[in-house]
Amino acid sequence: MSERRPLKMDLVKLDEELYCTSCGRRVTYERGVVVFSCPNCGETIIVRCNMCRKHSNEYICPNCGFRGP
Amino acid sequence: MNIPMVEDSELLVPKQKYLSAGIHVGSKIRTKDMSRFIYRVRSDGLSMLNIKKTDEKIRVAAKFLARFPPKSILAVSARIYGFKPVRKFAEYTRSMSITGRILPGTLTNPQAPLYLEPEVVLVSDPRVDKQIHDEAVKIGLPVVALVDADNTLEYIDLAIPTNNKGRRALAFIFWLLTREVLRVRGDLPPDGELPEGYDAFATRIVGIK
């Protein structure tokens, strides 16, 4: 049985503290958290916590100002 | 006026092409999440989506998808009219695709017969493709979705507002997305076109005698 590799190892380190881009709260590696590079510029890391994704809260890229989703 | 005043030069394809494919025609049911993408409501109750925002989102989605390795993109459609567009998208962009029923555990169970490890998921309708959407959320994958006026943006990281029910609309949006992804990757020149038109992406209807 193959083990699932830790997600987004290339974007963030496992011991790094993550803060949600939308609400600013610290997030942990819980279900529903996602980390990806900004869809528009690709230079900033966007972190979205479970609740912000669930409530479809807007995120704004601090670099290019892109508003998602 | 059903659409906002935009010049053809501002869009990826001429405005008339968008209109003939019907990607601006949303459903009668509207959600609050989608209100930012709705331009107006027609007298018969149909929502008209803002094609300028659709155009912008396709550009952004193409840039986003092009950053991932081709084999780590998973395009999914459980809707019949989405089968051929998704397969064509996967064929041109060399990505993975699933059409039809999703076997539960495809993303979460390593012992499943069709276990896949994508890095991003593209769904044609988050409500119809709920199984793969839930699994992508569970393992923390970003979700790109084609959304209509009746969808919510719950657990969607990049939404492309479009008509996601029509045969021609789905074909057109996947054709355009394929072209843009290939252009951003450099597989096509900046003004290059796909060898096939968007009619080749459309599901054919076979008449019943």
Side-chain angles (χ1 to χ4, degrees):
Chain A
M1 189 176 96
S2 65
E3 278 189 15
R4 173 164 275 283
R5 60 199 155 79
L7 288 165
K8 315 296 171 298
M9 283 296 285
D10 51 340
L11 293 178
V12 289
K13 292 170 189 164
L14 276 177
D15 57 348
E16 192 178 337
E17 284 196 346
L18 300 178
Y19 292 91
C20 176
T21 310
S22 301
C23 64
R25 291 190 187 134
R26 193 169 73 84
V27 297
T28 54
Y29 277 92
E30 61 183 76
R31 179 181 166 163
V33 174
V34 71
V35 180
F36 55 93
S37 56
C38 170
N40 191 33
C41 64
E43 290 175 11
T44 321
I45 304 299
I46 305 284
V47 182
R48 298 187 77 202
C49 71
N50 185 33
M51 290 314 285
C52 283
R53 287 182 90 195
K54 186 173 168 56
H55 297 144
S56 58
N57 287 349
E58 204 174 60
Y59 61 85
I60 301 172
C61 172
N63 185 36
C64 65
F66 172 75
R67 285 167 181 264
Chain B
M1 193 69 180
N2 285 335
I3 54 164
M5 296 294 287
V6 280
E7 295 295 323
D8 281 354
S9 56
E10 298 172 29
L11 303 173
L12 290 167
V13 289
K15 192 164 57 183
Q16 202 53 43
K17 264 193 165 182
Y18 275 115
L19 300 183
S20 63
I23 66 155
H24 67 299
V25 183
S27 59
K28 285 188 179 180
I29 299 168
R30 287 174 292 282
T31 59
K32 194 182 171 189
D33 287 353
M34 288 301 293
S35 61
R36 67 185 93 160
F37 300 119
I38 295 173
Y39 177 64
R40 70 181 282 266
V41 179
R42 228 162 54 179
S43 56
D44 57 359
L46 291 174
S47 316
M48 296 291 109
L49 299 167
N50 191 337
I51 57 168
K52 201 175 174 185
K53 291 194 177 176
T54 305
D55 192 86
E56 284 170 12
K57 290 287 186 166
I58 287 174
R59 287 171 204 256
V60 174
K63 278 194 266 183
F64 184 57
L65 292 175
R67 274 187 220 117
F68 290 92
K71 280 289 172 194
S72 66
I73 301 171
L74 176 62
V76 182
S77 179
R79 202 183 278 283
I80 291 174
Y81 284 162
F83 284 9
K84 198 170 175 189
V86 163
R87 284 184 198 140
K88 283 277 184 183
F89 172 84
E91 182 190 323
Y92 276 106
T93 60
R94 305 184 303 279
S95 58
M96 297 185 280
S97 70
I98 304 178
T99 50
R101 184 176 180 268
I102 309 292
L103 190 69
T106 301
L107 301 183
T108 51
N109 182 6
Q111 289 180 316
L114 189 70
Y115 178 63
L116 300 172
E117 284 191 86
E119 287 180 31
V120 62
V121 177
L122 170 66
V123 295
S124 67
D125 187 341
R127 197 175 51 183
V128 177
D129 303 313
K130 190 174 185 310
Q131 179 63 38
I132 206 84
H133 188 198
D134 287 350
E135 291 188 14
V137 169
K138 194 174 178 183
I139 59 168
L141 297 182
V143 178
V144 182
L146 307 182
V147 287
D148 205 335
D150 60 347
N151 288 118
T152 61
L153 298 181
E154 199 174 310
Y155 289 110
I156 290 171
D157 302 303
L158 187 59
I160 304 172
T162 176
N163 172 4
N164 61 11
K165 295 171 185 67
R167 186 176 66 91
R168 288 165 65 84
L170 277 171
F172 182 79
I173 210 82
F174 273 102
W175 174 81
L176 194 55
L177 194 58
T178 307
R179 195 189 76 175
E180 288 308 304
V181 169
L182 294 181
R183 280 182 181 181
V184 175
R185 274 189 199 158
D187 294 347
L188 276 180
D191 54 348
E193 291 288 340
L194 288 174
E196 293 176 305
Y198 81 89
D199 286 336
F201 279 56
T203 309
R204 284 191 185 169
I205 301 170
V206 180
I208 302 166
K209 289 183 182 175

